[in-house]
């Protein structure tokens, strides 16, 4: 059984409108593939399926695509859902 | 007096600011001014009043602040690797930015103009591709739409 930890999920822009929250703490396996993490989050907020193909993660402020990359998470890590950006 | 000028050392500055207040081109320009520089190049992004036939009243911006600031710092670092610039300032407004007001000002100073002109172009192009900032267009008919930069390095399918 893979140990779990509490991480903070941050929502921005369209993803925040869909979930209705800006942040929440969830319990996830400390080792998890990016896409699996997305699936856990989408299970909590099914409306996020609409943006699944457009978003990227930022894990500890580094971009990670929703794919096979294995994430090594620590308690209190910040994971942001990043919809397509439009700064400037 | 010439000896004093030789001894003048000016630490190069990267000035990054996010604010809900109205941006001032004059203030940002002053921040990068230097007696060592013969050029200051500026980019000012302003809210346009139309998109695909719809009348835009305002843009509304939000940002993932600590990461946005860090990503801009990385851009400043890249600029310094590529061009001999002196000071760099990037000011981005958050919240509502009405038509014709500035959402972003980028100012770069350099001894000669080619470096700062090229650096400013690189800065805005890279910010649009990488920095976690979002804008929503607010239309006259009370609808709105989250925008996506074509430079955004992911989500190329529409």
């Amino acid at each position: 059984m893979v140990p779990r930890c509490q991480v903070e999920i941050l929502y921005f822009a369209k993803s925040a409108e869909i979930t209705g929250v800006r942040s929440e703490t969830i319990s996830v396996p400390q080792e998890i593939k990016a896409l699996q993490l997305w699936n856990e989050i989408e299970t909590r907020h099914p409306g996020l399926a609409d943006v699944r193909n457009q978003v990227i993660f930022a894990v500890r402020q580094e971009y990670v695509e929703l794919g096979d990359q294995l994430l090594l998470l620590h308690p209190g890590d910040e994971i942001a859902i990043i919809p397509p950006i439009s700064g400037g | 007096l010439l000896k004093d000028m030789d001894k003048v050392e000016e630490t190069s500055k990267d000035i990054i600011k996010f604010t809900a207040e109205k941006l001032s081109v004059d203030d940002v320009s002053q921040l990068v001014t230097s007696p060592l520089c013969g050029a200051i190049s500026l980019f000012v992004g302003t809210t346009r009043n139309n998109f695909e036939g719809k009348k835009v009243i305002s843009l509304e911006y939000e940002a993932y602040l600590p990461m946005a600031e860090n990503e801009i710092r990385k851009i400043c670092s890249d600029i310094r690797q590529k061009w001999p610039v002196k000071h760099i300032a990037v000011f981005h407004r958050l919240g509502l930015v009405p038509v014709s007001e500035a959402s972003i000002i980028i100012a770069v100073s350099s001894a000669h103009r080619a470096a700062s002109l090229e650096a400013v172009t690189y800065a805005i192009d890279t910010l649009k591709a990488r920095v976690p900032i979002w804008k929503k267009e607010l239309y006259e008919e009370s609808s709105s739409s989250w925008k996506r930069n074509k430079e955004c390095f992911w989500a190329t399918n529409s």
Side-chain angles (χ1 to χ4, degrees):
Chain A
M1 180 75 180
V2 180
R4 298 177 78 88
C5 64
Q6 307 266 80
V7 296
E8 197 180 5
I9 312 296
L10 304 180
Y11 299 99
F12 291 95
K14 179 100 181 152
S15 70
E17 284 180 352
I18 291 169
T19 60
V21 294
R22 289 261 159 205
S23 70
E24 61 186 355
T25 304
I26 66 172
S27 168
V28 293
Q30 281 183 20
E31 287 185 22
I32 185 170
K33 286 190 180 177
L35 191 56
Q36 286 169 332
L37 176 60
W38 174 262
N39 289 334
E40 295 223 1
I41 294 167
E42 200 182 294
T43 301
R44 290 173 146 75
H45 303 283
L48 288 174
D50 288 349
V51 295
R52 180 195 187 95
N53 292 328
Q54 298 164 31
V55 302
I56 195 171
F57 281 131
V59 179
R60 298 184 295 267
Q61 298 185 27
E62 295 289 338
Y63 290 118
V64 177
E65 309 227 358
L66 269 54
D68 281 340
Q69 185 175 327
L70 186 66
L71 305 175
L72 303 174
L73 301 174
H74 314 109
D77 272 353
E78 231 174 52
I79 295 157
I81 310 301
I82 310 275
I85 55 177
S86 44
Chain B
L1 282 171
L2 275 173
K3 276 194 200 165
D4 287 342
M5 278 170 65
D6 285 347
K7 281 182 191 157
V8 167
E9 281 222 11
E10 205 177 307
T11 311
S12 298
K13 298 177 291 189
D14 296 336
I15 303 153
I16 300 164
K17 189 168 178 188
F18 287 88
T19 176
E21 290 179 17
K22 207 163 166 180
L23 300 181
S24 159
V25 172
D26 209 41
D27 290 352
V28 180
S29 182
Q30 280 300 312
L31 287 171
V32 302
T33 298
S34 162
L36 298 167
C37 295
I40 296 169
S41 298
L42 296 169
F43 172 77
V44 182
T46 59
T47 296
R48 197 176 64 246
N49 69 359
N50 69 88
F51 179 73
E52 288 182 353
K54 286 179 282 203
K55 192 168 172 190
V56 175
I57 309 168
S58 184
L59 296 177
E60 189 172 10
Y61 284 90
E62 68 181 66
Y64 178 15
L65 272 175
M67 185 175 177
E69 188 171 330
N70 282 336
E71 287 294 313
I72 296 174
R73 286 210 185 281
K74 290 180 194 173
I75 292 172
C76 292
S77 173
D78 288 351
I79 286 171
R80 292 183 185 287
Q81 302 248 332
K82 292 166 187 288
W83 294 284
V85 302
K86 190 63 202 161
H87 303 306
I88 304 170
V90 179
F91 275 51
H92 205 299
R93 195 165 165 192
L94 297 176
L96 290 171
V97 183
V99 167
S100 292
E101 292 191 25
S103 51
I104 185 170
I105 302 175
I106 299 174
V108 182
S109 54
S110 55
H112 305 283
R113 72 183 183 281
S116 62
L117 283 168
E118 289 170 32
V120 165
T121 300
Y122 176 86
I124 184 63
D125 289 350
T126 311
L127 182 140
K128 281 181 170 288
R130 298 202 61 91
V131 178
I133 300 171
W134 298 269
K135 68 171 164 254
K136 192 176 186 179
E137 267 173 353
L138 304 176
Y139 306 117
E140 192 179 48
E141 322 83 43
S142 302
S143 59
S144 64
S145 160
W146 287 104
K147 302 300 297 179
R148 166 203 311 209
N149 289 341
K150 65 175 173 12
E151 298 90 344
C152 177
F153 75 85
W154 67 94
T156 48
N157 52 315
S158 56

